[in-house]
Amino acid sequence: MEKKLSLVGAGPGDPDLISVKGIKTLAQADVVLYDALVHPELLNYVPSKALKIYVGKRAGKHSYKQEEINELIIENVFSHGHVVRLKGGDPFIFARGKEEIDYAESFGIRTQVVPGISSINLAGMYGLPLTTRGINESFWVVTATTKSGELSRDVAKVAETSATAIFLMGLRKSAAISEAYALQDKADLPAAIVSNGSLANAKVYRTTVGQLAHTIREQKVASPGIILVGESLAQQIDFTTIKNIKQHVTQI
Amino acid sequence: MEKKLSLVGAGPGDPDLISVKGIKTLAQADVVLYDALVHPELLNYVPSKALKIYVGKRAGKHSYKQEEINELIIENVFSHGHVVRLKGGDPFIFARGKEEIDYAESFGIRTQVVPGISSINLAGMYGLPLTTRGINESFWVVTATTKSGELSRDVAKVAETSATAIFLMGLRKSAAISEAYALQDKADLPAAIVSNGSLANAKVYRTTVGQLAHTIREQKVASPGIILVGESLAQQIDFTTIKNIKQHVTQI
């Protein structure tokens, strides 16, 4: 029995957006610990004899604390062998993957990380450019909601720059995001919200940063969602005459 | 014959880091246009009767301009049907994917984007946290070298913040990156360089932002490489006692 922990990124929704290495790793699992945002079809890659343990949040039920998940990993590695921790998106982008790796290694457990496509990469699927040559040269990824539930101070900082901002966990902080940009006289900057990732019920809403809260309320935007803000989002290259990748896009 | 363009992200090196959707799309290609950073094994997923056209740069030989690639896409869609444009990393992260999509759509061609794991996601594979709860809440991705070959102005801006910086195309701009941080009295900030992505010859170098140019010269760091800078990179969670994912890491 090989005692090992593999952290695998499940991708941004669509189960076909996991990597080939991810499914090969799932096929070698003795135990899988999976999150709420993981697509259930991915469990089909797991051997039927493997334990499948749900550790996400469930409405009204017990949800696992990080410390409990860490303990579950250790217990299952020692009792069963190869534990695969399957996390939505990429296990190292705001996903506490490092804590799980470090904790397992403190017990001498061998670990590996299989990166995943993050919700950040959804912009491309919906034709939203994060950067445009000649317009801006960077994008800045901010978790709008901090550890303590407050607004990140980086929201104000990103509003001062020309970087395209990608806010994760930002739907409930949309009014504060608008305010940060309004303070810089940038309320009219183009914004977009991608809701439900790459799933069949994905929706993309185009709006302005000043109208974020209004759009979320009026359009009943569903969680999880990412918010994008920046000049680059409105850029159309001038030979564009026909658009056809916009089947999910609602123009506000 | 279905006339279509698919932009597919090949991932950061290791051919198993392409998505399942990526290989399904390659299997339906009539023509594949592929870049220099694409792993040759990925072409095994392409039907044998499909055309495979290399459009990357080759030492001493003609390299395709973006305009020529755009034209090749259009010609091949009309002559052969489904063109797959296979690009290293993610087609929408500093990869001019949007230009190719927009140009094809201006001819009425249907398009889709299959996102890829970017070199940004490599940090996790090597245990380098982009953010650490309580230390910082964001990371900022900057192409250090602009369109005109100059240093991006965003290099100076990112040095002013607590965001972890990820510099793409930064190896040749390392002295300027060091200088930007030195101006903020931050020459001692932890830095890392990941060279050759997720390939078998990948190398990770840990250093400080002030020592970047020295490290690149002394260690003969190979291109392509990404540079990471930030307090978060040095964070070890205090229960860490044993490390074993560091087989590629050279401690400077």
Side-chain angles (χ1 to χ4, degrees):
Chain A
M1 188 175 75
E2 192 188 15
K3 293 181 173 46
K4 190 164 83 166
L5 168 65
S6 298
L7 253 65
V8 173
D14 180 345
D16 275 355
L17 287 176
I18 194 171
S19 70
V20 173
K21 191 171 182 181
I23 64 175
K24 286 181 177 175
T25 306
L26 284 172
Q28 295 165 348
D30 296 308
V31 180
V32 177
L33 303 181
Y34 64 102
D35 277 346
L37 293 176
V38 163
H39 197 287
E41 275 181 28
L42 292 175
L43 298 176
N44 296 341
Y45 293 113
V46 180
S48 56
K49 64 171 172 31
L51 271 184
K52 297 162 197 80
I53 305 175
Y54 177 83
V55 294
K57 288 180 190 172
R58 229 188 275 255
K61 299 235 176 106
H62 174 77
S63 80
Y64 287 93
K65 292 186 186 128
Q66 187 61 48
E67 293 69 25
E68 293 175 301
I69 294 173
N70 289 351
E71 290 305 325
L72 266 177
I73 289 171
I74 306 307
E75 284 169 20
N76 279 284
V77 164
F78 285 109
S79 61
H80 288 78
H82 184 196
V83 171
V84 175
R85 177 78 174 96
L86 186 61
K87 293 164 95 84
D90 180 280
F92 259 62
I93 297 195
F94 303 115
R96 307 185 72 173
K98 173 74 171 163
E99 293 176 46
E100 296 176 10
I101 288 288
D102 281 359
Y103 193 68
E105 292 191 345
S106 75
F107 286 83
I109 295 166
R110 197 160 76 83
T111 64
Q112 70 164 335
V113 177
V114 180
I117 293 173
S118 163
S119 55
I120 294 161
N121 301 83
L122 291 174
M125 285 190 74
Y126 303 109
L128 301 165
L130 296 180
T131 58
T132 303
R133 286 161 73 90
I135 301 291
N136 63 356
E137 291 136 20
S138 68
F139 62 94
W140 191 346
V141 183
V142 178
T143 178
T145 305
T146 68
K147 194 176 175 176
S148 53
E150 283 162 21
L151 186 76
S152 168
R153 286 161 306 167
D154 288 344
V155 173
K157 295 215 187 292
V158 69
E160 295 171 10
T161 74
S162 66
T164 299
I166 305 183
F167 297 107
L168 308 184
M169 309 226 289
L171 293 189
R172 290 188 185 174
K173 295 283 191 281
S174 59
I177 292 169
S178 298
E179 198 183 322
Y181 280 85
L183 278 173
Q184 305 293 328
D185 285 324
K186 292 179 178 175
D188 291 333
L189 267 188
I193 308 161
V194 181
S195 154
N196 275 313
S198 54
L199 294 171
N201 62 344
K203 287 271 183 191
V204 178
Y205 306 88
R206 282 178 168 275
T207 179
T208 62
V209 67
Q211 290 293 307
L212 274 175
H214 176 78
T215 301
I216 291 167
R217 196 170 53 241
E218 290 291 305
Q219 301 287 322
K220 301 186 173 67
V221 174
S223 198
I226 60 168
I227 295 172
L228 306 156
V229 180
E231 198 57 60
S232 180
L233 297 170
Q235 292 306 311
Q236 300 295 348
I237 295 164
D238 53 12
F239 49 62
T240 305
T241 56
I242 298 164
K243 291 283 124 197
N244 62 29
I245 55 171
K246 300 295 191 298
Q247 64 273 28
H248 297 295
V249 179
T250 306
Q251 192 78 35
I252 307 299
Chain B
M1 189 174 77
E2 192 189 16
K3 293 180 174 50
K4 189 164 84 168
L5 168 66
S6 296
L7 255 65
V8 174
D14 180 343
D16 275 356
L17 287 177
I18 195 172
S19 70
V20 172
K21 193 172 182 180
I23 65 175
K24 286 182 177 176
T25 307
L26 284 171
Q28 295 165 348
D30 296 308
V31 179
V32 176
L33 301 181
Y34 64 101
D35 277 347
L37 293 177
V38 163
H39 197 286
E41 276 182 27
L42 291 176
L43 298 176
N44 296 341
Y45 293 113
V46 180
S48 55
K49 64 171 172 31
L51 270 183
K52 297 163 195 79
I53 305 174
Y54 177 84
V55 294
K57 288 179 189 173
R58 231 188 273 259
K61 299 234 176 105
H62 173 79
S63 79
Y64 288 91
K65 293 186 184 124
Q66 187 62 48
E67 294 69 24
E68 293 175 301
I69 294 172
N70 290 351
E71 289 304 325
L72 268 177
I73 289 170
I74 306 306
E75 284 169 21
N76 279 283
V77 164
F78 285 108
S79 61
H80 289 78
H82 184 197
V83 171
V84 175
R85 177 78 175 96
L86 187 60
K87 293 166 95 85
D90 180 279
F92 259 62
I93 296 194
F94 302 117
R96 306 185 72 174
K98 174 72 171 164
E99 294 177 45
E100 295 176 9
I101 288 287
D102 281 358
Y103 193 68
E105 292 191 345
S106 75
F107 285 83
I109 295 166
R110 197 160 76 83
T111 65
Q112 70 164 336
V113 177
V114 180
I117 293 173
S118 164
S119 55
I120 295 160
N121 301 83
L122 291 173
M125 284 189 73
Y126 304 109
L128 302 165
L130 296 181
T131 58
T132 303
R133 285 161 74 92
I135 300 289
N136 62 356
E137 291 135 21
S138 69
F139 62 93
W140 191 347
V141 183
V142 178
T143 177
T145 306
T146 68
K147 192 176 176 176
S148 55
E150 284 163 20
L151 185 76
S152 168
R153 286 161 307 167
D154 289 344
V155 172
K157 294 214 186 295
V158 69
E160 295 171 12
T161 74
S162 66
T164 299
I166 305 183
F167 297 107
L168 308 183
M169 308 228 289
L171 294 188
R172 290 187 184 174
K173 294 285 192 282
S174 58
I177 293 170
S178 298
E179 199 183 320
Y181 281 85
L183 278 173
Q184 304 294 326
D185 285 324
K186 293 179 178 174
D188 292 334
L189 266 188
I193 308 162
V194 181
S195 155
N196 277 311
S198 53
L199 294 169
N201 63 344
K203 287 269 184 196
V204 178
Y205 306 88
R206 283 179 168 273
T207 180
T208 62
V209 66
Q211 290 292 308
L212 273 175
H214 176 78
T215 301
I216 290 167
R217 197 172 51 242
E218 291 292 305
Q219 302 287 323
K220 300 185 174 67
V221 175
S223 199
I226 62 168
I227 295 172
L228 305 156
V229 180
E231 198 58 62
S232 180
L233 297 169
Q235 292 306 312
Q236 300 294 350
I237 294 162
D238 54 12
F239 49 63
T240 304
T241 56
I242 297 163
K243 291 284 121 195
N244 62 28
I245 55 169
K246 300 294 190 298
Q247 64 272 28
H248 297 294
V249 179
T250 306
Q251 191 78 34
I252 307 298

